Amino acid sequence: MPVAGRAAIRRREGAVMLVSEQQSAIRGESRLSVQVADLLHNAVHLLEDDKEAARRCLDAARCLLLEQEQMEAGTRGGLAPWQQTRVRHFIDDNLSVSLRIGAVAACVRLSSSYFSRAFKASFGSPFSQYVMERRIAFARQMMRDGDEPLSQIALACGLADQAHFTRLFRKFVGMTPSQWRRMHGAGADGLLLATPAAA
């Protein structure tokens, strides 16, 4: 067979393989849609006769959709929206205690190393900095809304003592907690205008 004829056959085979790969990807997406649709269809039909079986179908559909969402989030390098929400709530609910990255990663079923990278991609800052910013925001809210001693606010924000609290507050806000409280605390007319100072 002439060389030109073999090259043409190779080009055709390459084009066929490319189309085949694209069709496989489309089939993969449509396979998920078909599986979810089948599970939902079965759940509807089982609902009256077997509620437990219907619930299992709905749970299976939910798991498939969550897996797909996690895979898509993984390709972008960040956390899925449901993971971001759960992480925010977990952190805000546990500001008064020591927060370990492993515990937060476990709440969204990820390893610590992957979670650390995905967290930064999603929230725009490293985990420890974000947690500290949330602690300082909580402290400002406490000072604005009440008159607890600064030592109590430090403990409520998960900080070791008032001195530690004062150092971190000055780093993030640009003034001491006492100065900020005089300007913005309960009864003050000022608004919360302070922005984080450069580290």
Side-chain angles (χ1 to χ4, degrees), residues 96 107 188:
S96 63
C107 89

Side-chain angles (χ1 to χ4, degrees), residues 50-64:
D50 190 351
K51 289 189 182 346
E52 184 59 31
R55 188 188 62 75
R56 284 194 302 271
C57 287
L58 291 173
D59 284 345
R62 181 180 146 279
C63 286
L64 284 172

Side-chain angles (χ1 to χ4, degrees), residues 100-120:
R100 303 270 183 234
I101 196 166
V104 184
C107 89
V108 289
R109 302 187 303 263
L110 294 174
S111 69
S112 296
S113 59
Y114 178 83
F115 174 78
S116 181
R117 291 189 302 273
F119 184 94
K120 187 169 183 180

Side-chain angles (χ1 to χ4, degrees), residues 21-97:
E21 287 171 7
Q22 290 171 339
Q23 287 174 341
S24 294
I26 292 168
R27 277 198 303 272
E29 287 179 12
S30 63
R31 189 174 335 137
L32 174 70
S33 300
V34 169
Q35 287 175 319
V36 170
D38 285 345
L39 287 165
L40 294 175
H41 177 77
N42 292 342
V44 168
H45 288 288
L46 290 167
L47 198 56
E48 288 184 22
D49 298 328
D50 190 351
K51 289 189 182 346
E52 184 59 31
R55 188 188 62 75
R56 284 194 302 271
C57 287
L58 291 173
D59 284 345
R62 181 180 146 279
C63 286
L64 284 172
L65 291 171
L66 284 175
E67 286 173 14
Q68 180 66 24
E69 188 178 5
Q70 282 181 322
M71 285 180 9
E72 289 171 2
T75 61
R76 293 188 305 269
L79 299 171
W82 72 268
Q83 291 173 316
Q84 292 178 36
T85 301
R86 186 173 290 178
V87 164
R88 274 193 205 94
H89 289 303
F90 187 90
I91 290 171
D92 286 346
D93 291 345
N94 292 284
L95 288 174
S96 63
V97 297

